[in-house]
Amino acid sequence: MYVYQEINGKVRDAVICLTDREREGEQIDRALLKNVLDIFVEIGMGKMDCYENDFEAAMLHDTAAYYSRKASNWILEDSCPDYMIKAEDCLRKEKDRVSHYLHSSSEQKLLEKVQHELLSVYANQLLEKEQSGCHALLRDDKVDDLSRMYRLFSRIPRGLDPVSQIFKQHVTAEGTTLVKQAEDAASNKKAEKRDIVGLQEQVFVRKVIELHDKYLAYVNDCFMNHTLFHKALKEAFEVFCNKGVGGSSSAELLATFCDNILKKGGSEKLSDEAIEETLENVVKLLAYISDKDLFAEFYRKKLARRLLFDKSANDDHERSILTKLKQQCGGQFTSKMEGMVTDLTLARENQASFEEYMANNPHAGPGIDLTVTVLTTGFWPSYKSFDLNLPAEMVKCVEVFREFYQTKTKHRKLTWIYSLGTCNIIGKFEPKTMELIVTTYQASALLLFNTSDKLSYSEIMNQLNLTDEDIVRLLHSLSCAKYKILNKVPNTKTISPTDYFEFNSMFTDKLRRIKIPLPPVDEKKKVIEDVDKDRRYAIDASIVRIMKSRKVLGYQQLVMECVEQLGRMFKPDFKVIKKRIEDLITRDYLERDKDNQNMFRYLA
């Protein structure tokens, strides 16, 4: 033991010196070092005190000093990827050193020293290097370097926090650039045709999907599916996915994008697999959008048009996206849409039995081929139903169908939505006879000219019983647009209440069958109004639910719980919540506490 006391200091220094020489690349006798270090262990008689106090502490101190010197040079000379390669190499070699001659209990302490000097001390400098730091690696898609960065920084305490922050900033910046590009493109194209703007918006959504695919792959592969990076990706997408483009909210853009993929003749020609994959991606993006209820309403409007006008390309895809939406947002989100799809199947069966009824009662027939789609009011968007004065031929159709329907059920009331109807009518023009495909409104207007050569604006309006807004759209489509079935006096481009109209007997076209479009009413305003109304009901219901279970609650607490309950569908506005609370007080659902104005009680 005396000999040990005499020489352990010199031996320790010699071992440390040899270790440093090995670090510099020299070959040393590792077996000799192992034998020497085993003596430190054995002297302890089963305890590690001698090894730890007489050798390990000094070795760790020297290691820290050695790597501190190295790191201070490398951080100035090397790029971030080169520095990381060196750091990873050093850690591998130190681990190797432990397995060859140091005691296994030193491994963790040794690696922590090296990590501290090479990574912790210079973490920020390394990540923020101008041309080669984390931003640059993300910008230049350096996947291997990013994987190495993850491996290294996951070793040090909270080392991944700054990496995930930079990742979030980078993705946010890329997404915001896409929004700006789409905004610029939309404002440049505003002067041109509307459908080009639509195309720009399609391109924008497609680019956002590609961006998401790219960075989700980074999260899964480079960052090993770590929750910090999933959170960073989510927060980044929430920032720019809730910005609108060209006056349209992201909820509307997504709904339009889906419509374009699911309808016949959409601008994207995709295989079934590609459509499925795209729909999957759309639903992923929807997770980042705060106004999910607005998306649902726009989607429902567009779904209704696809189903009612036979524009849907494939029933399986329609059902598939509803399944995906249901998984993402819950059954309540899709119940109406699923009802619409089922409704249409029932409507086809209904039409088949109507045709059978007509075949069995030929005398009852209206003399016109008639197809009626019966829908369930609760599932479909609300449509204006006017008491349009139908031409006699059509009145007969309505009566025949009503008689048939009453044979099936006595308890249901039919409300006719003429604004969604279409008619094929024959126009006998002097050059040739043609078939015109028009809406029920247009057909009703044209049939007036069977009995009159010339009609004024007010006569048409009175005979049809429509509003000014509808009459203007209607007459414009027939006298000022591409197909001038009616001649207008005076011959101007706009409709005014003093105009007269007459049948254009000289009308012709190279086709024998033409469709005369009626410009659609911009439904955006109505959708937003409907959603606002539904939100008021949802907030009322939420407040009552909370108060019913809590009985007494402070204002702040009530607002926070309400926001939390409704947050899955939309972000409620605090001012609106306050208004709804006041409204519920006037309707005797709640009352204010007499002593504390910010305290509310539930009134059973």
Side-chain angles (χ1 to χ4, degrees), residues 1-12 40 43 50 54:
M1 195 66 188
Y2 173 74
V3 176
Y4 173 78
Q5 297 292 356
E6 278 293 298
I7 66 166
N8 80 56
K10 290 176 186 165
V11 172
R12 176 195 66 211
F40 278 94
I43 290 277
C50 294
D54 298 340

Side-chain angles (χ1 to χ4, degrees), residues 9-157:
K10 290 176 186 165
V11 172
R12 176 195 66 211
D13 293 346
V15 171
I16 289 173
C17 179
L18 281 171
T19 307
D20 281 348
R21 280 162 61 183
E22 187 187 36
R23 283 174 178 146
E24 288 296 343
E26 277 188 41
Q27 286 285 327
I28 62 165
D29 187 344
R30 285 180 156 187
L32 172 66
L33 258 60
K34 175 143 183 60
N35 291 336
V36 169
L37 291 174
D38 282 350
I39 294 168
F40 278 94
V41 176
E42 283 158 17
I43 290 277
M45 310 281 284
K47 290 187 176 172
M48 294 297 291
D49 296 7
C50 294
Y51 176 82
E52 286 174 0
N53 299 333
D54 298 340
F55 167 72
E56 190 185 56
M59 180 272 293
L60 291 174
H61 184 268
D62 174 79
T63 301
Y66 176 85
Y67 281 111
S68 176
R69 289 194 302 278
K70 287 288 178 194
S72 62
N73 289 327
W74 292 347
I75 196 72
L76 299 174
E77 296 162 6
D78 292 328
S79 67
C80 174
D82 291 345
Y83 185 102
M84 290 193 300
I85 289 169
K86 285 182 179 175
E88 200 166 45
D89 191 45
C90 291
L91 286 163
R92 187 179 50 75
K93 284 178 177 167
E94 292 302 327
K95 201 170 174 162
D96 185 52
R97 204 156 276 129
V98 174
S99 67
H100 278 91
Y101 55 86
L102 297 174
H103 190 268
S104 59
S105 66
S106 297
E107 182 173 326
Q108 190 58 33
K109 301 174 209 170
L110 181 65
L111 293 180
E112 277 174 10
K113 281 285 181 211
V114 180
Q115 282 157 205
H116 179 76
E117 295 303 335
L118 292 184
L119 298 172
S120 301
V121 174
Y122 293 107
N124 288 343
Q125 267 174 277
L126 197 55
L127 292 175
E128 287 164 15
K129 267 189 174 279
E130 191 69 32
Q131 294 305 319
S132 65
C134 190
H135 272 298
L137 298 181
L138 287 163
R139 182 193 66 212
D140 302 333
D141 303 327
K142 301 288 189 197
V143 182
D144 291 344
D145 291 325
L146 288 167
S147 298
R148 184 173 292 110
M149 183 174 275
Y150 174 82
R151 286 198 300 274
L152 289 171
F153 280 83
S154 60
R155 291 164 166 269
I156 60 176

